[in-house]
Amino acid sequence: MRKKTFGGAGGRIPQICSRLSRCSVFADVGCDHGYVAQYMLENDLCDRAIISDISSKSLNKAERLLKNYLNCGRLSSVCCDGLKGVSGADLVLIAGMGGDEIVKILKEGYIPQSFVFQPMKNAPCLRSYLISEGCAIDEDDIFKDGKFYFIIKGRAQGGTPAYTPAQMQFGRDSLKNPVLKDFLAEEISKTQTYLKGDMSPQSRADLCGRLAFLKGVHSGEII
């Protein structure tokens, strides 16, 4: 059966949804408009869903979109900070936040049984934390929808073999994805532009080191 799509959502949301598996209770933390919960419910990929957001204004938008599911008891809505008011979900999505912010949410709450995280920045911080906590990272990839995005799918238990520096910086599966080449080319160009400006000797040395690292990963010499 062809899966239903969701109105008003751009390409980033379908990319996220493609990583979501069938579950009993799905939770979207920081749900914004509620499109992902809509996708999960309309395609019967979960029995129940939980939407949460620290912003009551955003949560109200999602509640209006998903009013029928709220009325029939398949959806719960919680205005809370991170995971503090979210319980009972066997699959949790946290998307559209910085990697350091996601780590803060996990430290103040818990690491979900299964998760999909889409950090907007500071992805290495999130990878490092997940690995240090013994999580199993099943997918650690990159995609492009206007901008470049990293996405991490995994489980609370199972462990992940130690990452190389390149894997920690850009994602294990990203290194096999042609999209990463485009990302690295942009980063190399930006770094070369920065090096044309005035800066301290230490800053220049740091940037030169980063440029060499980027070029090494781009060429495949660093893996």
Side-chain angles (χ1 to χ4, degrees), residues 3-201:
K3 290 181 179 177
K4 299 177 183 178
T5 56
F6 23 87
R12 184 175 70 94
I13 301 300
Q15 284 280 355
I16 292 170
C17 289
S18 71
R19 271 77 176 188
L20 298 173
S21 306
R22 181 66 171 80
C23 62
S24 177
V25 181
F26 168 72
D28 186 356
V29 174
C31 66
D32 196 27
H33 291 80
Y35 293 131
V36 180
Q38 179 188 33
Y39 170 85
M40 294 294 285
L41 289 162
E42 288 192 353
N43 289 292
D44 289 321
L45 293 173
C46 63
D47 300 322
R48 293 192 304 110
I50 303 167
I51 52 172
S52 77
D53 206 291
I54 196 170
S55 164
S56 59
K57 184 177 180 180
S58 290
L59 200 58
N60 288 338
K61 287 187 292 187
E63 288 171 346
R64 288 195 296 271
L65 177 71
L66 302 168
K67 181 179 179 181
N68 291 340
Y69 294 106
L70 275 169
N71 291 341
C72 73
R74 288 190 65 195
L75 180 73
S76 301
S77 175
V78 185
C79 188
C80 66
D81 183 4
L83 287 161
K84 292 176 181 177
V86 178
S87 62
D90 53 321
L91 174 59
V92 172
L93 169 68
I94 306 179
M97 304 180 196
D100 50 349
E101 188 175 358
I102 296 174
V103 169
K104 181 175 180 288
I105 287 172
L106 300 178
K107 286 182 175 179
E108 293 180 352
Y110 56 91
I111 298 177
Q113 177 183 331
S114 295
F115 55 78
V116 173
F117 299 143
Q118 188 267 295
M120 300 297 283
K121 59 181 181 178
N122 298 330
C125 167
L126 177 57
R127 292 186 186 104
S128 178
Y129 178 73
L130 294 174
I131 292 171
S132 71
E133 292 298 305
C135 298
I137 297 179
D138 298 318
E139 182 179 355
D140 191 352
D141 211 346
I142 188 172
F143 66 88
K144 185 178 183 181
D145 174 45
K147 298 179 180 180
F148 294 96
Y149 301 96
F150 292 105
I151 191 160
I152 301 169
K153 177 178 180 177
R155 294 162 285 126
Q157 297 180 334
T160 300
Y163 268 25
T164 66
Q167 289 173 334
M168 189 66 74
Q169 190 68 32
F170 304 116
R172 181 192 61 218
D173 302 305
S174 301
L175 297 180
K176 299 171 283 186
N177 189 335
V179 172
L180 184 67
K181 291 276 190 180
D182 296 333
F183 172 79
L184 291 170
E186 284 195 12
E187 291 298 304
I188 289 168
S189 178
K190 288 178 187 176
T191 306
Q192 289 172 330
T193 299
Y194 295 151
L195 282 168
K196 294 176 182 177
D198 293 330
M199 65 190 72
S200 69

